Amino acid sequence: MNYAPHTEEDIAQMEAAVGIADVEELFADIPAKYRLAQLPDIPAPLSEQETIALLNGLSRKNILPHLTLTGAGAYHHFIPAVVGHIINRAEFYTAYTPYQAEISQGILQAIYEYQTMIAHLTGMEIANASMYDGASAMAEAAVLSAKTLNRSKIIIARSVHPEYRAVVRTYCWSNSYEVCEIPFNQTGQIDLDLLQKELAENVAAVLVQSPNFFGVIEDIAPLAEAVHSFGAMLVAAFTDGTALGILKPAGESGADFVVGEGQSFGNPLNYGGPYLGIFAAREKFLRRIPGRLVGATVDKNGRRGFVLTLQTREQHIRREKATSNICSNEALCALAAGVYLATLGKNLQKLAALNVQKTQYLKKQLLGIPGWKEVFTAPVYNEFAVSCPDARLVNEKLKKEGIVGAYELPKSYPELKNALLFCATEMVSKEDIDRVVDIVKGAL
Amino acid sequence: MNYAPHTEEDIAQMEAAVGIADVEELFADIPAKYRLAQLPDIPAPLSEQETIALLNGLSRKNILPHLTLTGAGAYHHFIPAVVGHIINRAEFYTAYTPYQAEISQGILQAIYEYQTMIAHLTGMEIANASMYDGASAMAEAAVLSAKTLNRSKIIIARSVHPEYRAVVRTYCWSNSYEVCEIPFNQTGQIDLDLLQKELAENVAAVLVQSPNFFGVIEDIAPLAEAVHSFGAMLVAAFTDGTALGILKPAGESGADFVVGEGQSFGNPLNYGGPYLGIFAAREKFLRRIPGRLVGATVDKNGRRGFVLTLQTREQHIRREKATSNICSNEALCALAAGVYLATLGKNLQKLAALNVQKTQYLKKQLLGIPGWKEVFTAPVYNEFAVSCPDARLVNEKLKKEGIVGAYELPKSYPELKNALLFCATEMVSKEDIDRVVDIVKGAL
Amino acid sequence: MELIFEKSRPGRGAGCIPASDVAAINIEAVIDRKYLRTELDLPEVAEVDLIRHYTNLSRRNFGLDLGFYPLGSCTMKYNPKVNENAAALPGFTGLHPYAGDEWAQGNLQLMDEMQQYLCNIFGMAEFTLQPAAGAHGEFAGMMMIKKYFEKKGEKRHRILIPDAAHGTNPASGALCGFETVTLRSNNEGGVDIDHLKSLMTEDVAALMLTNPNTLGLFERNIEEVSRIIHEKGGLLYADGANANAFLGITRPGDLGFDVIQLNLHKTFSTPHGGGGPGSGPVGVGKVLVDYLPVPRIVKTDDGYRWSEDFPYSIGRVRAFYGNFNVIVKAYAYIRSLGAEGLKHATQMAVLNANYIKEKLKPYFDLPYDRVCMHECVFSGSRQVEENGIHTTDIAKRLIDFGYHPPTIYFPLIVPEAIMIEPTETESKETLDAFCQAMIIISREARENPQRLKDAPLSTEVSRLDEVLAARKPDVCWKKS
Amino acid sequence: MELIFEKSRPGRGAGCIPASDVAAINIEAVIDRKYLRTELDLPEVAEVDLIRHYTNLSRRNFGLDLGFYPLGSCTMKYNPKVNENAAALPGFTGLHPYAGDEWAQGNLQLMDEMQQYLCNIFGMAEFTLQPAAGAHGEFAGMMMIKKYFEKKGEKRHRILIPDAAHGTNPASGALCGFETVTLRSNNEGGVDIDHLKSLMTEDVAALMLTNPNTLGLFERNIEEVSRIIHEKGGLLYADGANANAFLGITRPGDLGFDVIQLNLHKTFSTPHGGGGPGSGPVGVGKVLVDYLPVPRIVKTDDGYRWSEDFPYSIGRVRAFYGNFNVIVKAYAYIRSLGAEGLKHATQMAVLNANYIKEKLKPYFDLPYDRVCMHECVFSGSRQVEENGIHTTDIAKRLIDFGYHPPTIYFPLIVPEAIMIEPTETESKETLDAFCQAMIIISREARENPQRLKDAPLSTEVSRLDEVLAARKPDVCWKKS
Ligand SMILES: Cc1ncc(COP(=O)(O)O)c(C=O)c1O
Ligand SMILES: Cc1ncc(COP(=O)(O)O)c(C=O)c1O
């Protein structure tokens, strides 16, 4: 393919206008010895038909499961058809960042609405226009806390998603902040006593997740109290936003920042990306939070309109003094989330309740198998940990039947031997669950 | 699902405004004994998630072939991605017929452009905005010829698609016209001598197809001459429009009407529909042809604009005096065809040449198998008939390998024993063909 | 906007064709030169320009997804997106119609069930899904009637059609060689029973009745009408284009209709595509089952298959099996709504129409002041007389308020007709805002009639010269 | 337009949730009430209103598919539709990131090949696809540099950044704890070599260079720059946002760069989505390979798999593996164009930029009058002085001509900067028409300056009060 529309004649005319005999002349600034004749080892061009055939072939080298029982930070939820129809509007997806507000009211208003929905959902006053993903949103909250308080220690619950912890560690290392992990107790929640012991005046933030990596709901309010008593920030994360359909938002329990992964809101699994980093905060951090913000204002005739605002926080104005370096974000994923949330509306509550029901059913059925035990005691949303005689074998069996099984917890928690983390969303039917149990029992 | 947005409160307020206590009252005109309590035997409502799961399940009950070697009126061609992106623009597909020109310039201009492309392609002066499909377009041309000339006999080549002949017979029966079929000769073309014999002053039209059902290219010019010498109309049809990329259009050889199936132009196979009836004619028939026409005009400021024109031909003005009853047509399929043709542009010629090359290769390979013989001698485009020892068995073998084989000609031509009609488009690779030959030989 | 041809430049192009993987051959060696074309005059544009061209064209088009579209008789209800996605599933779009029944069991099951659902909803014995649109269905239905009498050995030449009928009705009848006789409406917008009695003879094959009719009014005397027709051996044909008025409320089969054509692109929410594709299934009572078009689906022990083995069939009205992909959408619609949903849709459609009728009655003439069904028909006569403003001016002015105008000048029996069909998918707020616009326009008609005559003021082109278009037709662009 | 919240009505809704097929349970029985929320404040709208809301919003947005979008530094080239279709294939969208490598061999192969292609195009030893955008890639790249010195046991505190650099460069450096020092440009828009020499010490970890820089100018002294940096043990970082200027012409790895971040959403034609998602792969030379983020793909005899087994890695910069779906589009792009196509794209991009530069030179100040690469930067100073018209006025007026304005007021070293990047996918006609508009505007600046100050005149809102927005921030709607 060739997407440049230039005809021979166009090129000749343009060369003449530029005063050159050949396009090659335009590259004279590049030292001759570094100029290539031809790119090495790039395959020959393809027609559109060949391109799609090639990609289709690659996509079919993947095995698409009949059923996915893994959550662990990425969730298989139903995406209403409207979402795709909207984000495929060329005016949305082929636009750049809305720097020119007057011809970008569409995305600006949609993002303003998204910010509002996220603030409501998380129980916070403000939310930004998106971050790269849940993990980097959490890391940014940690860095921001440290910078704001001028403190250098970050505490993170061990029950936070392992990859989130890894990302927080990377961001903190680059800023020379210390990171300290607090274990969970037998309920599956963060060990509050150990946290209390670790809290000190140099702690900038405590990072927790709820429901946490084990699906367990953390008790945020006492955590907030403990954290605030040392003047530190509480950063509360979530990985499956649908939980907010029924769970009390961390904002209501005193968190300073609520961050999370918005993939569940209308974004496909996509093998891990693009996803949607959610970042919500208390009003007082308005001028310090990373990422873009859309604000409402008026035009000279008093009509309401929307603009990117408080860009002084952003790197392209503040350069090295910016609070974050994020520039391109995940706007289209945020748009999808906005459409998703507007589609479900109050039905998000019903959806969350359905997730709980499926999960409880799955859990009950699995725990009915001899040798299977609950790992934690605290309440869960749509994920839960169970231990069983041979975790790997379970997944092997499921795999044979085209099912992506549970997340094997020993991978990141060697202390949790033979523990599996199962997830059941609305996409899993009773029939599926019964089949899974049969497969696991070896009955199939 | 429920797509009506009415809340309880809305309903109450509206009932009050209308002066009723219950919506049921609005149906008082319907004799009580015919009023239903509930529709019988309609399954319970489904959520969107259930609906798509149900439909997905049905779609998977079909077996999607790896390869399709049947043409016979419907063709597996590559559809450039742009086509789908354009016809999925909501402004196009959720609009009605453009009765209100000022807010319908988009579809009107696109159809005007389509008409122009079709006229150019077919070698005619005018083309309408579309018909239901190729078969009904041919039937309408027959009826129109008879009405115009006030004659009552229609001659049709036996080499015309069997279903087109059936539709022509139905339309003619309803108008009490006689239909007479002219056989093909050993070249695969219409037998000109027999046609000459059948031609008479009561013949309104002669209907031929080129490439005909056997893929054979008809020699239109001498046919036109013969037909015109009796004052009758020559209606020339095609079923795979891509042939027009290289073949001389019937319009240039003297046809009065060129009709055809436009599915090949950017419309998926769709198990037979919706397809696109193409109808092109000589200028002199402008006020008589069936279907809609878009015309260019100007607004009061002299700006170019487009309107549905000559609607006096249409039933909603002429009622029983209309030349046809067609109202809704296949506008979106015509839009797809327009986008397709504009995308390919002069490359349609290359595409057609590629079809010829693949077809010649397939033909050569098949004829290399012992016992396989050519059925006809005249040149073909992308379909050809071959005879072989056991036609059914060939298709059985191919089916086992996930390949939709050739069209079995004896189904509609008992005289062509063990003859198969193969089609090879650009979607068929050399590798595919070699594999097919191996399968047929029993080597796989 | 420039035409795509005007944007064309020699040497440009979007679609690029794969290189051949088989032996190169000289085309002229296999196809005589006399069969080959010498030039190919198609636009040459780059992909970006192509996309911009059509995307910008789309933006000059008003669709249902942009706003209210109360085009009477067209049932412009919302087209649910899930139906679009369902129809786009590769299993549905990818199959060749001649693939063979074994490959197509999903499609066949869907079509068979669809026929069954339609039978249940309309009270008919059988359905065909073959016709491509409403008018095509009318034609098929009328042919079955013709065949029925042919088979009975009766020669009936005439059909009766009310004066309010849609133009396709007489056109379809005429296409079948029937002479059409116009049946008058009475002063309450229904069938003039006396006139019907006087016309109904043994030479009349059928009455083509739209019920509710194009005034949006239900035929109260339907039992009597049916009796009169059937007593003389005639058949009763239902134009089902207005079926949105009675889903789940009553069934044409129960009311005495022998045949009905539907418009899936109206009643069953499939999008209209700027003029098509539609789908026009035809349902028949027992007396007409033998004449249905072929092929028909038969269910056997090894699944579904197509059969042509129906000797009395009228034959085919098109190639293959119908607008299958449209049928998928309608099937998804029926399954999502279920029995209750269909009934609720109708109830809300009728409530919406009556609500508009009541709200606008003070401002526009209402020739038939009765409870209406899914649509109401006003007349702009008052505005003509008092302000010299025509219905077309009102319609064009509505565009400036962001609405698609209603159907105008139809039905023909209402002078300056304004035919408003809101459908059930519009909210009270939308109806209120629309009525408000109509009321403002009725005031503008008095206070500023010129503004209406100049309307629309907000579109890329203002009113177009239709007379010029018809007088000097330009339907095909020529290089100048 | 009303907000979606303002359209909300209690009791309405679009998405409907399936009934539960498992035993009903009382939520409070499994989750303590204290964990449950008491209210859920989300909009309640019908599907039709939802679709109309967002469809109409989209119509208030300018995208590349509507017209020319010469936003400098952003490489708004056409986004081929086939790439969108490829990325939407269910095999790509449907897989869970933890599905396990055996399920994902297609994805892994694609990512592995993509890394290889990028290595070949940019002359680097290895690539990571993990970063989510350009700035994220900068951050990852700078961390690798930090790690490199940490590993070597060297403490270097400073990085050099030219004054013309994009703001993310210093921000990314600062995030890694580096002190950033600004490097001056010389009078031909390149690096001031003397200044560089004076700044380059053994405390400097790296120079972050954009080449061609944000003036669209290629660094002629790149060899010397590289020598100066490397001689002092420093590393050379390339901001690859401008890579569209040299694909197939030269390779940063050959020029001496040790690390480069790319913006697939610029150079490799993936759509920008109104602000993202993007993708910011980072390529490194041999010296930095050990520090790449984990996980990395390794090829074994039984296929591809992910590995975290790289002890010196900086770790992860995000969860999972990167913006995979965006990478699919870029992969499709590279394969469609091939080596020749990529080079041709660059050539045409550079030709287009120079063409605009020549055409507009007489009308606007051109601070650096040299052959430019993929973009050219004018200054609106003349218009300020002579007509009191600012660059922002020119930009807003361009909107009325149907164009997206260029980037303005960037780079900071050009007063009243107007940064025009046409990209290769625009035709000569488009450029001619755009230049014509610019020329008209330069005349209007003299003859009718007020019109420019009032611009845009053709949009739903006129110029918005940004000061108010920042002074009284309203970033979250509240019921009033
Ligand atoms: C009452 C009535 N009957 C028949 C038709 C014809 O339907 P179609 O346009 O689908 O052929 C229409 C549609 O315009 C109609 O409104
Ligand atoms: C020169 C330059 N560097 C870096 C960036 C940052 O890239 P991104 O927006 O993808 O984070 C940009 C984009 O604005 C840029 O133009």
Side-chain angles (χ1 to χ4, degrees), chain A residues 96 327-328, chain D residues 73 133-135 138 166 168 214 239 241 261 263 265-266:
Chain A
Y96 202 79
C327 183
S328 284
Chain D
S73 203
E138 292 173 28
H166 193 263
T168 50
T214 61
D239 178 335
Q261 116 280 343
N263 298 50
H265 45 298
K266 297 180 178 180

Side-chain angles (χ1 to χ4, degrees), chain B residues 169-170 173-174, chain C residues 139-154 156 176 178 205 235 287-288 290-293 310-316:
Chain B
R169 253 182 258 115
T170 301
W173 163 79
S174 83
Chain C
F139 182 45
M142 290 314 290
M143 280 198 283
M144 288 189 256
I145 291 175
K146 187 183 168 100
K147 196 91 183 185
Y148 165 85
F149 287 110
E150 191 179 278
K151 172 89 191 310
K152 278 183 92 171
E154 287 182 31
R156 296 193 179 220
C176 290
F178 287 116
L235 295 178
V287 290
L288 292 178
D290 288 346
Y291 313 108
L292 282 165
F310 298 95
Y312 303 118
S313 165
I314 57 163
R316 292 182 167 273

Side-chain angles (χ1 to χ4, degrees), chain B residues 220-353:
Chain B
I220 301 293
L223 287 176
E225 213 184 322
V227 170
H228 290 156
S229 71
F230 284 87
M233 310 276 193
L234 181 68
V235 178
F238 58 87
T239 56
D240 186 348
T242 65
L244 293 169
I246 45 166
L247 296 190
K248 179 176 290 180
E252 281 184 26
S253 305
D256 298 281
F257 298 103
V258 177
V259 296
E261 175 51 62
Q263 173 265 326
S264 292
F265 296 152
N267 287 285
L269 284 169
N270 269 334
Y271 198 54
Y275 282 2
L276 169 64
I278 285 175
F279 194 107
R282 295 274 160 232
E283 178 111 51
K284 62 181 172 195
F285 301 114
L286 182 61
R287 286 167 200 272
R288 297 197 51 92
I289 64 171
R292 299 195 178 113
L293 277 172
V294 174
T297 184
V298 291
D299 77 356
K300 64 173 179 224
N301 303 310
R303 283 176 297 207
R304 176 169 62 192
F306 303 89
V307 293
L308 286 181
T309 192
L310 302 180
Q311 294 188 60
T312 43
R313 297 165 312 110
E314 274 202 42
Q315 19 46 40
H316 74 279
I317 308 288
R318 300 265 296 174
R319 295 175 62 98
E320 64 276 9
K321 295 191 196 69
T323 49
S324 155
N325 73 333
I326 187 171
C327 184
S328 286
N329 56 18
E330 308 282 309
L332 203 69
C333 302
L335 175 63
V339 177
Y340 177 91
L341 290 170
T343 303
L344 268 77
K346 292 205 189 301
N347 278 331
L348 188 67
Q349 192 263 328
K350 283 195 198 148
L351 178 77

Side-chain angles (χ1 to χ4, degrees), chain C residues 320-475:
Chain C
F320 312 121
Y321 325 113
N323 280 349
F324 172 70
N325 202 263
V326 175
I327 293 161
V328 174
K329 301 179 192 182
Y331 178 95
Y333 181 74
I334 291 175
R335 293 302 305 263
S336 335
L337 263 63
E340 313 152 35
L342 294 171
K343 182 172 186 172
H344 183 68
T346 280
Q347 288 175 325
M348 294 303 107
V350 172
L351 181 59
N352 275 0
N354 279 283
Y355 184 70
I356 288 187
K357 176 171 70 65
E358 289 306 317
K359 284 210 129 183
L360 293 185
K361 215 156 74 171
Y363 305 93
F364 296 91
D365 286 351
L366 183 67
Y368 302 94
D369 189 0
R370 290 168 48 183
V371 166
C372 67
M373 303 300 283
H374 64 300
E375 62 195 359
C376 57
V377 180
F378 289 96
S379 163
S381 300
R382 190 191 311 173
Q383 282 69 26
V384 178
E385 277 160 41
E386 294 177 6
N387 321 117
I389 283 301
H390 287 267
T391 284
T392 197
D393 303 317
I394 295 169
K396 298 300 181 196
R397 181 69 180 134
L398 267 170
I399 294 173
D400 293 328
F401 285 81
Y403 300 108
H404 193 285
T407 292
I408 52 177
Y409 300 104
F410 178 76
L412 306 176
I413 58 169
V414 173
E416 301 282 331
I418 305 173
M419 183 192 212
I420 303 173
E421 181 181 13
T423 86
E424 71 279 8
T425 58
E426 300 298 335
S427 67
K428 178 170 175 294
E429 295 95 292
T430 300
L431 306 187
D432 285 339
F434 170 77
C435 290
Q436 195 49 40
M438 285 291 283
I439 293 166
I440 292 172
I441 292 171
S442 77
R443 194 171 61 225
E444 284 183 347
R446 291 192 305 277
E447 295 171 3
N448 194 350
Q450 191 57 38
R451 187 180 299 156
L452 271 63
K453 288 186 183 146
D454 292 341
L457 305 162
S458 56
T459 44
E460 292 85 9
V461 290
S462 55
R463 265 192 240 185
L464 291 157
D465 189 341
E466 305 207 352
V467 175
L468 175 72
R471 223 185 44 222
K472 293 195 180 174
D474 166 5
V475 299

Side-chain angles (χ1 to χ4, degrees), chain B residues 1 3 5-6 13-14 24 26 29 33-38 40-41 43 45-46 55 58 61-63 70-72 74 86 89-98 100 102-107 109 112-113 115-116 120-121 132-133 161 163 167 170-171 173-175 189 219 244 246-248 269-274 286-287 295-300 303-304 309 315 319-320 325 328-332 342-343 345-347 357-358 360 379 399 430, chain C residues 1-4 6 15 20-21 25 30 34-37 40 43-44 50 53-54 57-58 60-65 69 74 76 80-81 91-93 95-96 98 102-104 106-107 109 120 135-136 139 143 146 150 165 167 170-172 175-176 180 220 223 249-251 254 271-277 306 314 316 318-320 323-325 335-339 343 347 352 370-371 396 399 424 428 454 460 462-465 469-470 473-475 477:
Chain B
M1 295 295 297
Y3 295 105
H6 302 72
Q13 286 179 4
M14 292 170 78
E24 283 294 331
L26 297 174
D29 279 342
K33 68 171 171 199
Y34 298 121
R35 293 225 290 279
L36 296 169
Q38 153 104 44
D41 297 323
L46 299 177
L55 273 287
L58 280 170
K61 286 198 183 172
N62 295 324
I63 305 163
T70 296
I86 294 302
R89 292 279 305 173
E91 292 92 331
F92 280 137
Y93 80 83
T94 72
Y96 202 78
T97 301
Q100 294 289 341
E102 296 82 2
I103 43 171
S104 310
Q105 286 299 296
I107 189 74
Q109 179 172 336
Y112 176 83
E113 294 173 353
Q115 291 172 180
T116 303
H120 287 345
L121 261 184
Y132 301 136
D133 75 342
H161 193 297
E163 298 204 11
V167 175
T170 301
Y171 275 64
W173 163 79
S174 83
N175 280 281
Q189 294 176 327
D219 199 359
L244 293 169
I246 45 166
L247 296 190
K248 179 176 290 180
L269 284 169
N270 269 334
Y271 198 54
L286 182 61
R287 286 167 200 272
T297 184
V298 291
D299 77 356
K300 64 173 179 224
R303 283 176 297 207
R304 176 169 62 192
T309 192
Q315 19 46 40
R319 295 175 62 98
E320 64 276 9
N325 73 333
S328 286
N329 56 18
E330 308 282 309
L332 203 69
T343 303
K346 292 205 189 301
N347 278 331
Q357 281 162 355
K358 303 267 186 177
Q360 289 298 325
K399 192 175 140 197
K430 176 174 181 301
Chain C
M1 246 178 82
E2 269 188 326
L3 294 171
I4 191 90
E6 292 160 346
S20 176
D21 56 357
I25 45 165
V30 289
K34 70 170 172 180
Y35 294 131
L36 298 177
R37 76 186 301 151
L40 182 64
E44 295 173 88
L50 183 97
H53 180 73
Y54 285 105
L57 279 184
S58 79
R60 295 170 154 234
N61 224 50
F62 189 91
L64 197 52
D65 281 7
Y69 213 127
C74 300
M76 293 298 281
K81 299 304 166 202
F92 289 137
T93 60
L95 213 58
H96 192 286
Y98 285 157
E102 313 82 2
W103 305 73
N107 290 349
Q109 181 182 337
N120 298 344
H136 206 207
F139 182 45
M143 280 198 283
K146 187 183 168 100
E150 191 179 278
S172 300
L175 252 190
C176 290
T180 68
R220 289 173 183 162
E223 288 188 86
I249 306 284
T250 190
R251 310 197 307 168
D254 300 348
H272 207 278
W306 288 109
I314 57 163
R316 292 182 167 273
R318 54 160 292 165
F320 312 121
N323 280 349
F324 172 70
N325 202 263
R335 293 302 305 263
S336 335
L337 263 63
K343 182 172 186 172
Q347 288 175 325
N352 275 0
R370 290 168 48 183
V371 166
K396 298 300 181 196
I399 294 173
E424 71 279 8
K428 178 170 175 294
D454 292 341
E460 292 85 9
S462 55
R463 265 192 240 185
L464 291 157
D465 189 341
D474 166 5
V475 299
W477 183 78

